[in-house]
Protein backbone atom coordinates (compact mmCIF):
# COMPACT_ATOMS: atom_id res chain seq x y z
CA UNK A 1 0.00 0.00 0.00
CA UNK A 2 1.40 3.38 -0.92
CA UNK A 3 1.49 6.09 1.68
CA UNK A 4 -1.72 7.86 0.95
CA UNK A 5 -4.45 8.45 3.49
CA UNK A 6 -7.81 7.41 2.12
CA UNK A 7 -10.73 9.46 3.39
CA UNK A 8 -14.39 8.60 2.87
CA UNK A 9 -16.79 11.54 2.63
CA UNK A 10 -20.49 11.66 1.85
CA UNK A 11 -21.11 11.76 -1.89
CA UNK A 12 -24.13 14.03 -1.85
CA UNK A 13 -26.08 15.07 1.18
CA UNK A 14 -26.06 17.29 4.21
CA UNK A 15 -22.46 16.48 5.15
CA UNK A 16 -20.86 16.81 1.72
CA UNK A 17 -20.37 20.56 1.33
CA UNK A 18 -19.06 21.19 4.84
CA UNK A 19 -16.75 18.15 4.72
CA UNK A 20 -15.14 19.40 1.51
CA UNK A 21 -15.06 23.00 2.75
CA UNK A 22 -13.09 21.87 5.81
CA UNK A 23 -10.62 19.97 3.62
CA UNK A 24 -10.23 23.07 1.45
CA UNK A 25 -9.64 25.29 4.49
CA UNK A 26 -6.85 22.88 5.41
CA UNK A 27 -5.19 23.87 2.13
CA UNK A 28 -5.85 20.50 0.51
CA UNK A 29 -6.83 20.67 -3.15
CA UNK A 30 -9.09 18.02 -4.57
CA UNK A 31 -10.86 17.87 -7.88
CA UNK A 32 -14.21 16.23 -7.19
CA UNK A 33 -15.85 16.42 -10.60
CA UNK A 34 -19.55 15.65 -10.96
CA UNK A 35 -20.43 12.05 -10.22
CA UNK A 36 -16.86 11.03 -9.40
CA UNK A 37 -16.52 8.26 -6.83
CA UNK A 38 -12.78 8.64 -6.28
CA UNK A 39 -10.32 11.53 -6.44
CA UNK A 40 -6.79 12.35 -5.38
CA UNK A 41 -5.56 15.51 -3.68
CA UNK A 42 -2.98 17.32 -5.79
CA UNK A 43 -0.91 18.77 -2.94
CA UNK A 44 -1.35 16.36 0.00
CA UNK A 45 -1.01 12.55 0.24
CA UNK A 46 -4.72 11.95 0.44
CA UNK A 47 -7.27 10.08 -1.65
CA UNK A 48 -11.03 10.64 -1.50
CA UNK A 49 -13.86 8.15 -1.73
CA UNK A 50 -17.34 9.60 -2.22
CA UNK A 51 -19.92 7.28 -0.62
CA UNK A 52 -23.37 7.00 0.97
CA UNK A 53 -22.96 8.06 4.59
CA UNK A 54 -24.48 4.74 5.77
CA UNK A 55 -21.50 2.85 4.34
CA UNK A 56 -18.73 5.02 5.77
CA UNK A 57 -18.36 3.53 9.31
CA UNK A 58 -18.16 -0.01 7.90
CA UNK A 59 -15.62 0.94 5.25
CA UNK A 60 -13.45 2.61 7.89
CA UNK A 61 -13.67 -0.46 10.12
CA UNK A 62 -12.70 -2.77 7.25
CA UNK A 63 -9.86 -0.54 6.06
CA UNK A 64 -11.40 0.22 2.67
CA UNK A 65 -11.06 3.81 3.87
CA UNK A 66 -8.50 4.88 6.51
CA UNK A 67 -10.63 7.69 7.87
CA UNK A 68 -14.13 9.00 7.23
CA UNK A 69 -16.45 11.88 8.02
CA UNK A 70 -20.01 11.01 9.14
CA UNK A 71 -22.68 12.23 11.53
CA UNK A 72 -22.16 10.97 15.09
CA UNK A 73 -25.70 9.57 14.83
CA UNK A 74 -24.66 7.34 11.93
CA UNK A 75 -21.38 6.35 13.61
CA UNK A 76 -23.15 5.48 16.87
CA UNK A 77 -25.94 3.58 15.10
CA UNK A 78 -23.61 1.50 12.95
CA UNK A 79 -21.53 0.68 16.05
CA UNK A 80 -18.38 -0.42 14.20
CA UNK A 81 -14.92 -1.03 15.64
CA UNK A 82 -13.36 2.35 14.77
CA UNK A 83 -11.65 5.20 16.57
CA UNK A 84 -13.58 8.44 17.05
CA UNK A 85 -10.81 10.95 16.28
CA UNK A 86 -12.46 14.32 16.38
CA UNK A 87 -15.70 16.25 16.51
CA UNK A 88 -15.93 18.58 13.54
CA UNK A 89 -18.55 21.10 14.66
CA UNK A 90 -20.84 21.04 11.61
CA UNK A 91 -24.07 19.20 10.62
CA UNK A 92 -25.38 19.64 14.13
CA UNK A 93 -28.70 17.95 14.76
CA UNK A 94 -30.38 15.75 17.34
CA UNK A 95 -32.29 12.49 17.51
CA UNK A 96 -35.59 13.00 19.24
CA UNK A 97 -38.76 11.21 20.17
CA UNK A 98 -41.92 12.78 18.78
CA UNK A 99 -45.63 12.02 19.05
CA UNK A 100 -48.90 13.32 17.62
CA UNK A 101 -49.20 16.93 18.75
CA UNK A 102 -52.75 16.29 20.02
CA UNK A 103 -51.51 13.67 22.53
CA UNK A 104 -50.67 14.76 26.04
CA UNK A 105 -47.18 13.89 27.22
CA UNK A 106 -46.29 13.15 30.83
CA UNK A 107 -42.84 11.70 30.48
CA UNK A 108 -40.79 8.89 29.05
CA UNK A 109 -42.98 6.30 30.82
CA UNK A 110 -45.72 7.16 28.27
CA UNK A 111 -43.80 5.03 25.75
CA UNK A 112 -44.17 1.85 27.81
CA UNK A 113 -45.80 -0.82 25.62
CA UNK A 114 -46.09 1.56 22.65
CA UNK A 115 -44.63 1.24 19.14
CA UNK A 116 -41.97 3.56 17.76
CA UNK A 117 -40.83 3.95 14.15
CA UNK A 118 -37.20 4.84 13.51
CA UNK A 119 -34.16 4.44 11.27
CA UNK A 120 -32.03 4.31 14.43
CA UNK A 121 -33.00 1.06 16.19
CA UNK A 122 -29.68 0.73 18.02
CA UNK A 123 -29.55 4.22 19.52
CA UNK A 124 -33.27 4.08 20.36
CA UNK A 125 -32.98 0.57 21.80
CA UNK A 126 -30.07 1.64 24.04
CA UNK A 127 -32.01 4.68 25.21
CA UNK A 128 -35.17 2.73 26.03
CA UNK A 129 -33.15 0.10 27.84
CA UNK A 130 -31.30 2.71 29.90
CA UNK A 131 -34.68 4.17 30.87
CA UNK A 132 -36.21 0.73 31.54
CA UNK A 133 -38.97 1.21 28.98
CA UNK A 134 -40.34 -1.70 26.96
CA UNK A 135 -41.50 -0.49 23.56
CA UNK A 136 -41.76 -2.01 20.09
CA UNK A 137 -39.20 -0.66 17.65
CA UNK A 138 -40.28 -0.63 13.98
CA UNK A 139 -37.22 -0.10 11.83
CA UNK A 140 -38.01 1.82 8.66
CA UNK A 141 -35.49 3.38 6.31
CA UNK A 142 -37.12 6.72 5.47
CA UNK A 143 -40.18 9.00 5.77
CA UNK A 144 -40.33 8.06 9.44
CA UNK A 145 -42.36 11.15 10.31
CA UNK A 146 -45.51 9.89 8.55
CA UNK A 147 -45.61 6.67 10.64
CA UNK A 148 -48.01 7.98 13.35
CA UNK A 149 -50.51 9.47 10.87
CA UNK A 150 -50.75 6.23 8.88
CA UNK A 151 -51.18 4.18 12.03
CA UNK A 152 -47.83 2.41 11.81
CA UNK A 153 -46.57 3.62 15.17
CA UNK A 154 -47.53 5.67 18.20
CA UNK A 155 -44.39 7.78 18.03
CA UNK A 156 -41.16 8.21 16.12
CA UNK A 157 -37.47 8.65 16.80
CA UNK A 158 -35.82 10.72 14.08
CA UNK A 159 -33.34 13.47 13.25
CA UNK A 160 -34.49 16.98 14.12
CA UNK A 161 -32.74 20.26 13.45
CA UNK A 162 -35.31 23.07 13.31
CA UNK A 163 -38.36 20.97 14.06
CA UNK A 164 -40.24 22.19 10.97
CA UNK A 165 -40.55 18.71 9.45
CA UNK A 166 -42.13 17.44 12.65
CA UNK A 167 -44.51 20.35 12.77
CA UNK A 168 -45.64 19.97 9.18
CA UNK A 169 -46.44 16.32 9.95
CA UNK A 170 -48.52 17.20 13.01
CA UNK A 171 -45.92 15.93 15.49
CA UNK A 172 -44.32 17.41 18.58
CA UNK A 173 -40.83 16.72 19.91
CA UNK A 174 -40.97 15.33 23.46
CA UNK A 175 -37.48 13.97 24.27
CA UNK A 176 -34.00 14.56 22.86
CA UNK A 177 -32.16 11.26 23.01
CA UNK A 178 -28.89 11.95 21.17
CA UNK A 179 -27.00 15.10 20.12
CA UNK A 180 -25.06 14.83 16.89
CA UNK A 181 -22.49 16.63 14.77
CA UNK A 182 -20.06 15.51 12.09
CA UNK A 183 -17.19 13.40 13.43
CA UNK A 184 -14.00 11.99 12.00
CA UNK A 185 -13.59 8.22 12.35
CA UNK A 186 -10.35 6.31 11.80
CA UNK A 187 -9.43 2.71 11.22
CA UNK A 188 -7.91 1.09 14.32
CA UNK A 189 -4.87 -0.36 12.55
CA UNK A 190 -3.38 2.52 10.59
CA UNK A 191 0.27 2.13 9.58
CA UNK A 192 2.80 4.52 11.10
CA UNK A 193 3.01 6.36 7.78
CA UNK A 194 -0.74 6.82 7.57
CA UNK A 195 -0.89 7.94 11.21
CA UNK A 196 1.68 10.61 10.39
CA UNK A 197 -0.45 11.90 7.52
CA UNK A 198 -3.52 11.86 9.79
CA UNK A 199 -1.59 13.85 12.42
CA UNK A 200 -0.71 16.46 9.80
CA UNK A 201 -4.36 16.67 8.77
CA UNK A 202 -5.53 17.02 12.38
CA UNK A 203 -2.95 19.72 13.03
CA UNK A 204 -4.47 21.69 10.15
CA UNK A 205 -8.07 21.04 11.25
CA UNK A 206 -7.20 22.24 14.76
CA UNK A 207 -5.73 25.44 13.32
CA UNK A 208 -8.85 26.08 11.23
CA UNK A 209 -11.21 25.35 14.16
CA UNK A 210 -9.26 27.46 16.65
CA UNK A 211 -9.20 30.35 14.19
CA UNK A 212 -12.98 30.14 13.76
CA UNK A 213 -13.46 30.41 17.52
CA UNK A 214 -11.28 33.48 17.84
CA UNK A 215 -11.12 37.06 16.56
CA UNK A 216 -8.25 39.50 16.30
CA UNK A 217 -9.02 42.78 18.04
CA UNK A 218 -7.34 46.17 17.67
CA UNK A 219 -8.27 49.28 19.63
CA UNK A 220 -7.01 52.66 20.72
CA UNK A 221 -6.94 53.76 24.33
CA UNK A 222 -5.70 56.63 26.47
CA UNK A 223 -2.65 55.44 28.43
CA UNK A 224 -4.37 55.95 31.79
CA UNK A 225 -7.05 53.39 30.76
CA UNK A 226 -4.52 50.77 29.60
CA UNK A 227 -4.33 48.80 32.80
CA UNK A 228 -8.12 48.32 32.94
CA UNK A 229 -8.30 47.44 29.28
CA UNK A 230 -5.50 44.88 29.48
CA UNK A 231 -7.30 43.23 32.40
CA UNK A 232 -10.44 42.85 30.31
CA UNK A 233 -8.62 41.23 27.35
CA UNK A 234 -7.94 37.54 27.94
CA UNK A 235 -5.60 37.11 24.93
CA UNK A 236 -3.29 34.24 24.06
CA UNK A 237 -0.47 35.82 26.00
CA UNK A 238 -0.36 39.45 27.09
CA UNK A 239 -1.64 41.91 24.48
CA UNK A 240 0.62 43.94 22.22
CA UNK A 241 0.68 47.63 23.18
CA UNK A 242 2.09 50.16 20.70
CA UNK A 243 2.35 53.94 21.19
CA UNK A 244 0.22 56.06 18.86
CA UNK A 245 1.53 59.22 17.20
CA UNK A 246 -0.89 61.17 19.41
CA UNK A 247 0.75 61.78 22.78
CA UNK A 248 -0.81 59.83 25.70
CA UNK A 249 -2.54 57.21 23.50
CA UNK A 250 -1.73 53.59 22.64
CA UNK A 251 -2.94 50.93 20.25
CA UNK A 252 -3.73 47.53 21.81
CA UNK A 253 -3.84 44.26 19.81
CA UNK A 254 -5.08 40.93 21.09
CA UNK A 255 -7.13 37.81 20.37
CA UNK A 256 -10.54 37.20 21.89
CA UNK A 257 -12.88 34.22 21.86
CA UNK A 258 -16.06 34.34 19.85
CA UNK A 259 -18.10 33.12 22.85
CA UNK A 260 -17.22 36.09 25.09
CA UNK A 261 -17.18 38.56 22.22
CA UNK A 262 -19.94 41.05 23.11
CA UNK A 263 -19.24 41.09 26.81
CA UNK A 264 -15.63 41.94 26.16
CA UNK A 265 -16.48 44.66 23.64
CA UNK A 266 -18.89 46.28 26.10
CA UNK A 267 -16.30 46.14 28.85
CA UNK A 268 -13.68 47.70 26.60
CA UNK A 269 -15.95 50.58 25.59
CA UNK A 270 -16.83 51.28 29.20
CA UNK A 271 -13.12 51.31 30.04
CA UNK A 272 -12.48 54.01 27.43
CA UNK A 273 -11.41 52.07 24.33
CA UNK A 274 -12.06 53.73 20.97
CA UNK A 275 -11.77 52.77 17.32
CA UNK A 276 -12.27 49.09 18.08
CA UNK A 277 -11.62 46.82 15.07
CA UNK A 278 -12.44 43.12 15.14
CA UNK A 279 -11.17 40.96 12.28
CA UNK A 280 -11.49 37.24 11.48
CA UNK A 281 -8.45 35.03 11.81
CA UNK A 282 -7.79 32.64 8.97
CA UNK A 283 -5.49 30.13 10.68
CA UNK A 284 -4.34 29.95 14.28
CA UNK A 285 -1.55 27.77 15.63
CA UNK A 286 -1.15 27.76 19.40
P1 LIG B 1 -26.94 9.29 1.99
O1 LIG B 1 -27.58 9.41 0.65
O2 LIG B 1 -25.47 9.58 1.93
O3 LIG B 1 -27.27 8.00 2.69
P2 LIG B 1 -28.76 10.50 3.91
O4 LIG B 1 -30.01 10.87 3.20
O5 LIG B 1 -28.72 9.27 4.75
O6 LIG B 1 -27.56 10.50 2.85
P3 LIG B 1 -28.46 13.24 4.87
O7 LIG B 1 -29.88 13.68 4.92
O8 LIG B 1 -27.61 13.79 3.78
O9 LIG B 1 -28.34 11.65 4.91
O10 LIG B 1 -27.82 13.56 6.28
C1 LIG B 1 -26.51 13.20 6.58
C2 LIG B 1 -26.22 13.53 8.03
O11 LIG B 1 -26.33 14.93 8.22
C3 LIG B 1 -27.18 12.93 9.04
O12 LIG B 1 -26.83 11.60 9.39
C4 LIG B 1 -27.03 13.86 10.21
O13 LIG B 1 -25.85 13.58 10.95
C5 LIG B 1 -26.85 15.20 9.52
N1 LIG B 1 -28.12 15.93 9.37
C6 LIG B 1 -29.29 15.43 8.96
N2 LIG B 1 -30.27 16.35 8.94
C7 LIG B 1 -29.69 17.49 9.32
C8 LIG B 1 -30.14 18.83 9.47
N3 LIG B 1 -31.40 19.17 9.21
N4 LIG B 1 -29.26 19.75 9.85
C9 LIG B 1 -27.98 19.43 10.09
N5 LIG B 1 -27.49 18.19 9.98
C10 LIG B 1 -28.32 17.24 9.60
MG1 LIG C 1 -27.69 7.70 4.59
Amino acid sequence: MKNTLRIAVQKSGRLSDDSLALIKECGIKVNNGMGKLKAEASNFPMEFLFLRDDDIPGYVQDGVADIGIVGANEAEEKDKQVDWVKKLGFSKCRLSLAIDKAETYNGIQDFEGKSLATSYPKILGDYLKANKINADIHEISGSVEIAPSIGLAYGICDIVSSGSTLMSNGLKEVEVIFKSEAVMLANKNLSTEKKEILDRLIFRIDAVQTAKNNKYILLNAPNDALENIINILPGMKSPTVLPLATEGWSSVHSVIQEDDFWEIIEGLRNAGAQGILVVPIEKMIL
Side-chain angles (χ1 to χ4, degrees):
M1 270 268 203
K2 67 177 174 167
N3 291 328
T4 300
L5 190 72
R6 222 185 221 193
I7 182 171
V9 293
Q10 192 188 22
K11 184 168 156 37
S12 83
R14 292 178 196 266
L15 293 157
S16 311
D17 288 351
D18 287 339
S19 301
L20 287 173
L22 177 65
I23 296 293
K24 198 173 159 198
E25 285 173 312
C26 290
I28 297 167
K29 291 191 177 135
V30 56
N31 176 11
N32 62 316
M34 284 293 274
K36 264 199 189 176
L37 299 180
K38 225 172 120 179
E40 248 175 74
S42 60
N43 59 351
F44 196 79
M46 226 162 108
E47 195 175 54
F48 290 74
L49 297 180
F50 300 102
L51 302 168
R52 290 275 316 267
D53 69 343
D54 311 57
D55 298 330
I56 292 176
Y59 278 180
V60 171
Q61 171 184 271
D62 301 342
V64 176
D66 299 313
I67 62 172
I69 297 177
V70 282
N73 54 311
E74 205 60 43
E76 178 73 19
E77 180 63 30
K78 292 292 187 286
D79 199 20
K80 302 290 183 188
Q81 295 298 309
V82 293
D83 285 334
W84 289 48
V85 180
K86 219 178 154 36
K87 290 182 178 172
L88 299 174
F90 57 84
S91 295
K92 288 195 174 167
C93 58
R94 56 194 187 271
L95 274 180
S96 293
L97 295 174
I99 57 173
D100 190 316
K101 68 174 187 301
E103 297 275 342
T104 51
Y105 184 70
N106 307 300
I108 176 74
Q109 69 278 3
D110 287 6
F111 290 101
E112 181 65 36
K114 299 284 191 351
S115 60
L116 283 161
T118 189
S119 311
Y120 296 90
K122 187 216 173 259
I123 297 176
L124 177 58
D126 289 350
Y127 176 85
L128 293 173
K129 203 169 156 196
N131 286 283
K132 302 194 168 59
I133 303 289
N134 283 303
D136 260 344
I137 298 178
H138 279 284
E139 182 177 354
I140 51 179
S141 59
S143 305
V144 173
E145 59 282 353
I146 65 161
S149 64
I150 60 174
L152 182 68
Y154 168 74
I156 65 160
C157 166
D158 203 10
I159 291 179
V160 180
S161 62
S162 69
S164 59
T165 309
L166 291 182
M167 221 180 333
S168 60
N169 284 284
L171 300 174
K172 64 179 174 191
E173 184 177 8
V174 293
E175 299 282 346
V176 175
I177 73 163
F178 186 85
K179 289 199 170 138
S180 183
E181 66 185 87
V183 292
M184 181 178 286
L185 304 179
N187 178 269
K188 282 191 169 293
N189 303 303
L190 292 184
S191 66
T192 317
E193 292 81 4
K194 290 191 182 211
K195 270 198 193 119
E196 277 170 16
I197 305 171
L198 178 56
D199 285 346
R200 286 176 63 198
L201 176 66
I202 289 180
F203 176 82
R204 294 186 186 195
I205 293 176
D206 284 342
V208 169
Q209 287 186 338
T210 314
K212 277 193 187 146
N213 292 332
N214 288 275
K215 300 270 183 259
Y216 194 75
I217 179 164
L218 306 92
L219 59 89
N220 296 331
N223 289 345
D224 57 12
L226 276 180
E227 201 183 319
N228 266 344
I229 284 177
I230 289 169
N231 283 335
I232 295 167
L233 288 170
M236 283 198 286
K237 293 214 173 68
S238 68
T240 310
V241 180
L242 302 165
L244 288 183
T246 312
E247 187 70 27
W249 282 76
S250 298
S251 164
V252 180
H253 300 196
S254 192
V255 170
I256 58 175
Q257 289 211 337
E258 180 85 67
D259 299 340
D260 324 319
F261 182 82
W262 287 112
E263 266 173 48
I264 292 175
I265 300 290
E266 283 160 14
L268 291 171
R269 285 189 60 202
N270 293 336
Q274 297 183 6
I276 304 173
L277 291 183
V278 179
V279 288
I281 299 171
E282 195 180 292
K283 304 285 187 302
M284 187 160 155
I285 292 102
L286 294 175

